Amino acid sequence: MQINTIQQSGVKIAVVTGDEKVLTDVQSALDLLATVNYETGADRIAIDKDAVADDFFVLSTGLAGDVLQKFVTYQTKLAIYGDYTGYTSKPLKDFIYESNKGSHVFFVPTKEEALERLAGG
């Protein structure tokens, strides 16, 4: 896992990249929050969808809700960017739609859009 810090519109954003899955369970979410906070001080994280466990996108597992609750609890905004067109689950599509209407968690197609949403744009 690599963490790069980007300043966008005066906001510090941590961009997490790497070949391995970073968000796999609640503990990995807490580890990510702690690592980003310690290494960058950022309270906004952009992460590639490929670094998120596949089970996250199966809402019946409860993983998405459990993980995202940690980000809300620790007041850290999260944007997961990537291609969502392959998902056919209506509950997942509704979940993504509702999340994107809020101000804390975003599911967007590109890293650029993730940075824009996290910067408040």
Side-chain angles (χ1 to χ4, degrees):
M1 171 176 69
Q2 287 191 300
I3 302 171
N4 297 309
T5 306
I6 293 176
Q7 289 279 344
Q8 181 147 334
S9 302
V11 176
K12 187 187 303 184
I13 301 170
V15 179
V16 178
T17 57
D19 294 330
E20 75 277 2
K21 300 286 186 189
V22 175
L23 281 179
T24 57
D25 56 20
V26 172
Q27 187 57 54
S28 67
L30 292 170
D31 292 346
L32 177 64
L33 285 161
T35 301
V36 166
N37 187 1
Y38 177 76
E39 290 185 13
T40 72
D43 64 354
R44 296 160 198 240
I45 300 172
I47 188 168
D48 191 307
K49 182 176 85 60
D50 291 338
V52 179
D54 295 335
D55 283 352
F56 181 93
F57 300 101
V58 179
L59 294 184
S60 61
T61 67
L63 182 59
D66 292 344
V67 165
L68 296 180
Q69 184 59 48
K70 296 301 177 196
F71 283 88
V72 172
T73 299
Y74 290 96
Q75 299 178 5
T76 301
K77 292 186 179 194
L78 176 69
I80 302 173
Y81 60 90
D83 181 8
Y84 296 98
T85 59
Y87 295 108
T88 58
S89 163
K90 181 169 176 7
L92 178 62
K93 288 180 180 185
D94 292 346
F95 180 77
I96 289 172
Y97 176 78
E98 290 299 325
S99 294
N100 286 340
K101 284 178 32 179
S103 61
H104 229 82
V105 178
F106 310 104
F107 297 90
V108 295
T110 66
K111 180 170 113 175
E112 293 72 26
E113 190 171 344
L115 296 173
E116 185 178 307
R117 293 292 297 266
L118 289 170

